């Protein structure tokens, strides 16, 4: 594993290229990750998906009354530039589809907050044929804010907790989407039908992030080869096997 | 009964055979009529009494008599009385004519009723799914559709039964289905 990286330097000075040993390297990595996590936790952009009733509590949270900008949290208009996906309540099957498309467009690391009892276990809409019951079956959730609906103070508290989790490097639920993609895709297919797919090649992303595990592919992703070969071309032969 | 009715409305209703007044107040009129007479009633109301506004079509599923009740709510800015016209159609085959040619907004109401109750409207411009585009089950507003069973078999959820709830249930309280 030890490879010398040649350094172009003034030939007159004698700077040899030093090879850090593994322990040192992982230590270095830890320090850098720690700094990165800290910086990251101080500047977060939220994308709020406001189809649930809890959305009405967000304006005071974000604007001058409770002012989440104090915490470094600002609203963002597009998924590709946001860190946090805030789901403010019940999701119908139809909106869940859009949420998944949105979630997959966000760049990692990304955090999902489920706000209100509806995202936790169906809440007041448990009896409804149209709404999903548990958000975490379809995408990894970092944090739930309980309440129906949670007060702005509770949301603020949730933000603080998330900031703390990110700072400590514990908010890593997004990695689970790559590790367990087959499970998530299976749950999505159970609602949308076997031909459900998104334009995102999650399996290739998992490889890219080195988050590929044996649970990333499975019987559900095998269906992608059949219905979504346009999007997952690279993995097709592999999936069919 | 029809003495207090504005003359223009009374003249419309005189032309429709087998029309029954079910309820009548100053601003509301509820009439029941035979399904085949409904388009004629709508035409007459629109043409003579200024009923330009079809504010809604609602549907009721009556499992006992195996019928659908369709209610057409109409409003006139001149007469200022809401007319609700009730008709009953058999559940099988569950077909009725569209009134799209009389009131264009009917297209949306009919499309909605079609996906929620399965009533087919002949002549309606679009009977494609409207709201339930990710739906594989039966029309969900039918009385025979059990939302509870559907939820149990379709969605993943967690059984939640904390100790404090058990205590309440032991005393006869708790969640009532
Ligand atoms: S948890 Fe309550 S406030 Fe939030 S979406 Fe559900 S019903 Fe509405």
């Amino acid at each position: 594993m030890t490879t010398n990286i040649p350094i172009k330097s003034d030939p007159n000075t004698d700077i040899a290229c030093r090879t850090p040993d593994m322990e040192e390297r992982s230590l270095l990595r830890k320090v850098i990750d720690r700094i990165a996590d800290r910086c990251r936790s101080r500047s977060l952009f939220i994308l709020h998906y406001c189809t649930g009733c809890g959305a009405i509590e967000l304006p005071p949270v974000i604007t001058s009354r409770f002012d989440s900008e104090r915490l470094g949290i600002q609203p963002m208009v597009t998924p590709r530039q946001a860190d946090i996906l805030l789901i403010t309540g019940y999701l119908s099957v139809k909106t869940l589809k859009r949420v998944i498309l949105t979630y997959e467009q966000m760049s990692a690391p990304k955090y999902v907050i489920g706000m209100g009892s509806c995202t936790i276990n169906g809440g007041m809409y448990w009896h409804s044929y149209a709404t999903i019951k548990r958000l975490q079956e379809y995408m990894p959730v970092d944090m739930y804010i309980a309440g129906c609906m949670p007060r702005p103070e509770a949301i603020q508290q949730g933000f603080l907790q998330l900031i703390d989790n990110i700072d400590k490097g514990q908010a890593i639920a997004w990695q689970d989407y790559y590790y367990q993609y087959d499970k998530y895709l299976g749950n999505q297919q159970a609602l949308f039908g076997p031909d459900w797919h998104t334009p995102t090649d999650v399996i290739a992303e998992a490889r890219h992030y080195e988050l590929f595990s044996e649970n990333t592919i499975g019987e559900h992703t095998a269906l992608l080869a059949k219905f979504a070969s346009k999007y997952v071309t690279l993995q097709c032969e592999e999936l069919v096997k | 009964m029809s003495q207090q009715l504005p003359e223009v409305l009374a003249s419309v209703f005189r032309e429709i055979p087998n029309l029954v007044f079910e309820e009548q107040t100053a601003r509301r009129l509820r009439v029941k009529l035979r399904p085949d007479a409904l388009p004629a009633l709508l035409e007459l109301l629109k043409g003579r009494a200024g009923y330009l506004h079809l504010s809604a079509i609602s549907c009721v599923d009556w499992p006992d008599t195996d019928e659908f009740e369709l209610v057409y709510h109409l409003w006139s800015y001149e007469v200022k009385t809401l007319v609700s016209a009730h008709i009953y159609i058999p559940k099988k085959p569950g077909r009725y004519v569209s009134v799209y040619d009389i009131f264009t907004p009917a297209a949306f109401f009919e499309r909605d009723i079609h996906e929620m109750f399965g009533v087919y409207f002949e002549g309606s411009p679009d009977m494609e799914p409207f709201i339930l585009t990710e739906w594989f089950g039966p029309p969900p507003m039918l009385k025979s559709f059990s939302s509870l069973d559907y939820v149990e078999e379709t969605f993943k959820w967690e059984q939640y039964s904390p100790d404090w709830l058990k205590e309440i249930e032991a005393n006869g309280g708790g969640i009532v289905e």
Side-chain angles (χ1 to χ4, degrees):
Chain A
M1 279 301 288
T2 52
T3 44
N4 289 343
I5 305 165
I7 290 182
K8 278 201 190 120
S9 59
D10 189 352
N12 297 328
T13 57
D14 185 26
I15 304 173
C17 187
R18 202 172 62 82
T19 312
D21 65 296
M22 285 314 273
E23 195 179 334
E24 192 184 332
R25 181 177 272 176
S26 74
L27 260 174
L28 193 67
R29 198 173 182 163
K30 259 184 204 146
V31 171
I32 292 174
D33 277 357
R34 185 82 183 74
I35 295 168
D37 280 340
R38 167 142 296 202
C39 298
R40 196 172 280 143
S41 71
R42 291 301 185 275
S43 163
L44 294 164
F45 288 88
I46 52 172
L47 181 72
H48 35 286
Y49 197 84
C50 292
T51 53
C53 15
I56 202 68
E57 299 289 346
L58 280 182
V61 174
I62 286 167
T63 55
S64 67
R65 180 72 173 88
F66 292 93
D67 194 6
S68 65
E69 213 173 318
R70 288 179 294 145
L71 316 175
I73 293 183
Q74 271 193 48
M76 179 36 75
V77 289
T78 67
R80 289 177 201 275
Q81 289 141 8
D83 301 286
I84 304 174
L85 179 58
L86 186 65
I87 308 290
T88 62
Y90 60 82
L91 288 178
S92 69
V93 175
K94 195 168 180 166
T95 49
L96 175 70
K97 216 175 196 177
R98 277 76 189 168
V99 168
I100 291 166
L101 285 165
T102 310
Y103 176 74
E104 289 187 357
Q105 282 182 49
M106 291 169 70
S107 52
K110 47 193 166 184
Y111 315 100
V112 178
I113 301 181
M115 206 180 114
S117 342
C118 283
T119 52
I120 300 173
N121 202 17
M124 202 170 85
Y125 290 89
W126 193 88
H127 274 84
S128 166
Y129 58 84
T131 60
I132 60 145
K133 310 305 161 206
R134 302 185 84 205
L135 181 59
Q136 74 195 63
E137 303 289 342
Y138 310 99
M139 61 181 61
V141 178
D142 280 277
M143 177 176 307
Y144 285 115
I145 303 174
C148 178
M149 48 196 64
R151 296 267 313 144
E153 293 93 327
I155 300 170
Q156 205 78 313
Q157 193 68 40
F159 285 163
L160 279 171
Q161 182 67 49
L162 182 73
I163 288 173
D164 202 42
N165 288 358
I166 296 171
D167 193 359
K168 294 198 182 107
Q170 290 166 348
I172 48 169
W174 61 275
Q175 298 179 356
D176 205 48
Y177 198 66
Y178 297 107
Y179 285 135
Q180 312 269 349
Y181 182 54
D182 190 55
K183 179 188 95 179
Y184 290 112
L185 185 71
N187 289 339
Q188 294 164 12
Q189 282 170 347
L191 295 186
F192 308 139
D195 58 346
W196 159 251
H197 61 84
T198 57
T200 317
D201 193 349
V202 179
I203 301 166
E205 276 182 16
R207 286 215 171 78
H208 176 77
Y209 289 129
E210 293 176 0
L211 297 172
F212 190 87
S213 83
E214 75 249 39
N215 293 330
T216 305
I217 52 173
E219 50 169 328
H220 303 295
T221 50
L223 289 170
L224 288 178
K226 203 159 142 203
F227 295 108
S229 49
K230 206 165 112 201
Y231 300 109
V232 285
T233 37
L234 283 175
Q235 277 72 40
C236 269
E237 303 95 55
E238 195 179 317
L239 289 174
V240 172
K241 267 179 221 165
Chain B
M1 185 164 203
S2 54
Q3 278 97 318
Q4 308 104 312
L5 270 185
E7 179 45 37
V8 57
L9 267 185
S11 83
V12 166
F13 292 140
R14 270 199 297 275
E15 307 221 5
I16 307 290
N18 300 324
L19 186 115
V20 185
F21 289 92
E22 291 197 316
E23 222 177 293
Q24 184 182 357
T25 61
R27 307 287 303 277
R28 265 198 102 127
L29 199 56
R30 179 173 159 170
V31 295
K32 188 176 144 185
L33 68 163
R34 288 187 18 206
D36 48 3
L38 183 89
L41 176 73
L42 298 192
E43 286 273 20
L44 284 170
L45 283 174
K46 189 180 177 187
R48 275 197 205 161
Y51 276 82
L52 298 175
H53 186 173
L54 174 71
S55 49
I57 306 176
S58 39
C59 183
V60 187
D61 173 15
W62 294 105
D64 297 339
T65 52
D66 243 7
E67 278 178 324
F68 285 121
E69 179 181 3
L70 291 173
V71 193
Y72 293 72
H73 304 274
L74 298 133
W75 178 254
S76 158
Y77 295 93
E78 290 156 27
V79 182
K80 295 195 167 58
T81 299
L82 182 86
V83 174
S84 303
H86 294 239
I87 57 166
Y88 292 82
I89 57 165
K91 243 188 207 174
K92 288 204 179 83
R95 294 172 89 88
Y96 191 61
V97 287
S98 168
V99 296
Y100 172 68
D101 48 345
I102 310 171
F103 293 105
T104 16
F108 279 113
F109 304 141
E110 288 168 353
R111 193 171 161 190
D112 194 27
I113 292 173
H114 175 249
E115 72 178 354
M116 293 297 180
F117 291 90
V119 182
Y120 189 85
F121 290 88
E122 279 161 52
S124 200
D126 193 356
M127 288 274 104
E128 289 296 302
F130 180 30
I131 293 166
L132 300 176
T133 48
E134 277 85 22
W135 181 257
F136 306 104
M141 291 286 184
L142 291 179
K143 292 275 188 330
S144 57
F145 173 81
S146 163
S147 197
L148 192 64
D149 291 347
Y150 184 83
V151 166
E152 302 237 14
E153 67 196 47
T154 310
F155 297 108
K156 297 203 171 178
W157 49 281
E158 193 146 287
Q159 194 58 263
Y160 178 64
S161 167
D163 288 341
W164 57 263
L165 185 62
K166 284 185 195 135
E167 225 167 81
I168 294 172
E169 277 168 345
N171 296 325
I175 301 160
V176 185
E177 288 292 346

